[in-house]
Amino acid sequence: MNEPRIHFAINCASYSCPDLLNTPYLPNTIDAQLEKVTKDFYK
């Protein structure tokens, strides 16, 4: 996929993994959604 942020979007969702987004990833918002889940992981 050549997109490193995808790890934060579709990872395992266990306690030590990033939280899964509770909304679908959509073509017109995917960049903002990936940015959000990546930033949320590092908080």
Side-chain angles (χ1 to χ4, degrees):
M1 297 185 100
N2 202 23
E3 173 56 73
R5 298 175 299 177
I6 201 73
H7 168 78
F8 302 106
I10 60 172
N11 202 20
C12 62
S14 69
Y15 182 73
S16 62
C17 294
D19 292 336
L20 294 177
L21 193 60
N22 198 20
T23 58
Y25 288 93
L26 302 171
N28 59 336
T29 58
I30 187 85
D31 192 54
Q33 290 172 304
L34 290 174
E35 192 70 20
K36 177 187 178 348
V37 295
T38 301
K39 287 180 178 179
D40 288 351
F41 177 73
Y42 286 106
K43 284 185 178 179

